[in-house]
Amino acid sequence: MKITVDGPAGSGKSYIAKGISERLRIPYLETGLAYRAIGYLLLISEEDLQKVSWSAVEPLLRRLEIVPEVGRTRVLIDGKEVKEDLLRSEEVGRAASIVGTIPQFREFINDLFRKLVGEGQAVIEGRDAGTHIFPDAEIKLFITASPEERARRRWKQLREKGMEVSLEEVLKKILDRDRRDMEREKYPFRPAEDAVVIDTTDMEPEESLKTALGIVLKIQNEKSS
Ligand code: C5P
């Protein structure tokens, strides 16, 4: 059984995907971490992100290893595990979304994801898990929330980390990232036609996970009867 969980930044998709993986005890592949790891390597090598191309990205991929496990996705660079915090910054997120505009990267990384999961069970989280990586997945969820609510969640997280940012600034960045993801020429970000949409705008995280688990269990039962 493959379960794809797609959605924009701040929609709550990671909480849901991780929660499904933990409850069902199946591996969790957070695809965004591969994009972030390459974005991070580009940032520390001081590449000009506006000009970045496949030839700069390809050699970096050899240094990267992704390991899906129950409840988490491990990322290794040059054989060493990377601390999650390093990959979760706004700056790395922005670099990741630029990496995502390179079609050869998407084709390469999606092949890698398919090999990692193989015929096995997994929860695959991203932007295109249900449309391009596993179009035949048995269960597809699309998690969304209004841009204002997604910005508010992100702003709250940043404030908790002690960062002084305005809500307007965070909203602007969210809208920029949405635009880059949706308007890229190849593989633009769209929900799969057969995905079940969950709008978490007015939900607490626990409620959104409960809703998602309810849908997963219902589809599983229908398929097995
Ligand atoms: O999901 P997360 O916010 O960590 O992803 C960071 C960025 O990586 C996204 O904004 C998107 O541009 C890109 N990405 C993608 N396709 C994926 C996962 C991430 O384009 N499957």
Side-chain angles (χ1 to χ4, degrees):
M1 173 81 61
K2 290 182 182 50
I3 303 170
T4 60
V5 182
D6 290 310
S11 58
K13 65 182 188 307
S14 295
Y15 185 83
I16 291 176
K18 183 173 187 285
I20 296 175
S21 156
E22 282 168 350
R23 302 285 167 97
L24 303 185
R25 311 296 303 163
I26 60 178
Y28 169 35
L29 173 59
E30 183 186 342
T31 62
L33 285 178
Y35 288 73
R36 285 176 179 268
I38 297 298
Y40 169 72
L41 286 175
L42 289 169
L43 282 174
I44 58 173
S45 65
E46 292 180 9
E47 285 278 344
D48 180 352
L49 284 175
Q50 295 312 324
K51 294 197 191 123
V52 83
S53 65
W54 174 233
S55 59
V57 165
E58 194 182 11
L60 302 178
L61 284 160
R62 283 192 278 278
R63 302 171 56 189
L64 180 68
E65 204 183 323
I66 305 284
V67 187
E69 293 179 351
V70 171
R72 70 172 190 149
T73 306
R74 284 168 57 209
V75 177
L76 292 87
I77 292 177
D78 301 328
K80 272 214 236 130
E81 190 152 349
V82 188
K83 285 223 178 75
E84 263 198 54
D85 272 6
L86 278 182
L87 302 179
R88 299 269 178 216
S89 72
E90 283 297 298
E91 202 189 4
V92 170
R94 185 174 165 272
S97 80
I98 294 173
V99 171
T101 61
I102 305 171
Q104 295 98 320
F105 171 79
R106 303 193 76 86
E107 280 149 27
F108 180 98
I109 207 76
N110 285 353
D111 263 347
L112 179 79
F113 293 147
R114 287 182 205 111
K115 281 188 199 121
L116 278 177
V117 173
E119 296 305 313
Q121 305 201 65
V123 182
I124 308 101
E125 180 216 308
R127 298 287 190 293
D128 56 352
T131 46
H132 288 108
I133 314 179
F134 292 107
D136 297 331
E138 289 84 350
I139 303 181
K140 298 181 185 178
L141 302 178
F142 188 85
I143 317 299
T144 187
S146 71
E148 291 73 19
E149 174 58 16
R150 293 189 285 121
R152 198 192 60 78
R153 290 172 187 170
R154 186 71 194 133
W155 174 75
K156 210 169 137 231
Q157 273 175 356
L158 293 171
R159 299 263 304 200
E160 280 163 10
K161 285 189 193 158
M163 291 180 213
E164 278 296 325
V165 277
S166 73
L167 185 56
E168 291 71 32
E169 185 63 19
V170 178
L171 177 60
K172 188 175 165 292
K173 285 197 175 143
I174 290 243
L175 292 173
D176 273 357
R177 184 114 78 87
D178 283 0
R179 191 178 34 73
R180 198 174 307 115
D181 288 350
M182 287 174 183
E183 290 178 1
R184 60 179 169 241
E185 219 168 287
K186 276 194 108 183
Y187 308 113
F189 169 46
R190 301 257 184 284
E193 277 175 18
D194 49 351
V196 180
V197 178
I198 304 175
D199 187 331
T200 67
T201 305
D202 298 317
M203 289 183 193
E204 291 297 322
E206 215 19 70
E207 188 189 349
S208 66
L209 174 57
K210 225 174 126 196
T211 306
L213 274 167
I215 294 168
V216 167
L217 296 177
K218 184 167 171 277
I219 300 177
Q220 267 185 339
N221 279 339
E222 281 166 7
K223 296 219 185 249
S224 64
S225 63

